[in-house]
Amino acid sequence: MDLTASREHGRVGIRLVRNRDARVLQDHLLTNRAWLRPWEATSPDGAVSLDMKVGIRRLLQQYRDGAGVPFVMEYDGLVAGQLNVWGIARGSLSSATIGYWVSRDYAGRDITPISVAMATDICFEELRLHRMEICIRPENDASLRVVQKLGFRYEGLRRRYIHIDGDWRDHYAFALTREDVPYGVLNRWAEGQVPAHAADIPDSDRTAP
C-alpha cells in the first residue's frame, strides 16, 4: 500500500520518511542528546550507530517488506521528529507497536499526540490492523501524557522489557483495538470523547519495585 502522501491536521503532519530527511533528523538527534538519550533504544551487544542515512535505508526496507512504517512528524512543513510503526504482525495477531521522538524545540505543541492519532488511524483503516500498542518507561512523563490524551488503555507492567539508555528497563503497556475507536482516534480526541481514565495506572504498578 502506498503511504507516501502526507496526512495533516492543522499545523501537524506525518509522511513516510525520505532519504533526504537524513540530515535534518541527524541534526535533531545530535543537538537533542540530553533530551532524547534517556528514552532511546540501545543494544546489549554494544553501541548503536546514529548514522541516519543507514537508519533510513533500513527503515524503508522494513516498509517494503511490510514489517513497519517509518514516518516523520512535521510542524508547519518542518521536520520535528520521527514516529515509527514497527513489529507489524499479520494473520491472527494483526498488530503493531508505535514508537516516537520529537525535538525539544517542538515540544508542547501537541505534535506527538496528533501524529500518533493519525498513524494509528492509518494502521486501522488502511493497513487493516486490529491492535496498536505503545510501551513507555514509567519515568517518561511527557510520553505518558500522549496516551492519556488519546485514551490508550493501560494493559500492564512489563518487567525489563526493552533495552533503553544502556540497560533493560521496565515499561508500561498501553493499547487500542479497532473496536475501541470506530470513528477514529483523531476524531475521538478532537470531539472530546476520549475516556477520562483509560490510561490510568493502578497504584500497585506505580509502586512496584
Side-chain angles (χ1 to χ4, degrees):
M1 178 171 290
D2 184 8
L3 299 178
T4 55
S6 177
R7 317 300 168 94
E8 298 177 353
H9 178 80
R11 302 172 75 175
V12 178
I14 61 172
R15 60 168 173 78
L16 199 67
V17 70
R18 302 165 184 155
N19 287 307
R20 63 176 178 268
D21 294 321
R23 170 177 262 180
V24 65
L25 288 172
Q26 184 105 18
D27 287 346
H28 280 315
L29 287 174
L30 292 177
T31 58
N32 285 268
R33 296 311 302 139
W35 168 259
L36 296 173
R37 185 180 289 113
W39 323 118
E40 283 182 346
T42 48
S43 170
D45 299 322
V48 175
S49 172
L50 288 178
D51 186 335
M52 285 306 302
K53 290 182 179 179
V54 174
I56 289 173
R57 285 199 296 268
R58 289 174 178 167
L59 290 170
L60 289 174
Q61 185 60 55
Q62 292 173 7
Y63 171 64
R64 289 189 290 269
D65 293 341
V69 185
F71 293 105
V72 292
M73 299 186 288
E74 294 184 322
Y75 188 77
D76 287 343
L78 300 176
V79 173
Q82 276 186 283
L83 185 154
N84 290 321
V85 176
W86 58 276
I88 292 178
R90 294 292 184 177
S92 57
L93 191 56
S94 190
S95 70
T97 299
I98 290 178
Y100 45 80
W101 63 263
V102 67
S103 173
R104 189 168 192 170
D105 291 341
Y106 290 95
R109 306 187 196 189
D110 278 337
I111 295 170
T112 305
I114 292 172
S115 298
V116 169
M118 289 193 290
T120 303
D121 286 341
I122 289 170
C123 289
F124 285 158
E125 296 166 9
E126 300 182 45
L127 299 184
R128 306 306 295 169
L129 296 178
H130 177 251
R131 181 178 182 275
M132 298 300 295
E133 180 173 279
I134 298 176
C135 293
I136 301 170
R137 284 189 61 182
E139 303 88 351
N140 194 343
D141 292 334
S143 199
L144 290 171
R145 285 193 291 273
V146 172
V147 292
Q148 290 163 359
K149 287 179 179 181
L150 297 180
F152 272 69
R153 178 178 53 257
Y154 179 68
E155 293 199 336
L157 174 65
R158 296 187 176 178
R159 295 289 194 179
R160 298 179 65 78
Y161 178 55
I162 303 176
H163 203 271
I164 300 284
D165 192 26
D167 202 356
W168 296 103
R169 309 291 183 177
D170 293 350
H171 281 68
Y172 294 141
F174 303 84
L176 283 176
T177 63
R178 205 188 314 171
E179 293 88 348
D180 294 324
V181 284
Y183 304 108
V185 183
L186 186 59
N187 283 338
R188 187 176 73 163
W189 182 41
E191 294 174 4
Q193 300 299 314
V194 174
H197 301 289
D200 284 0
I201 301 163
D203 290 342
S204 58
D205 285 353
R206 286 188 177 277
T207 59

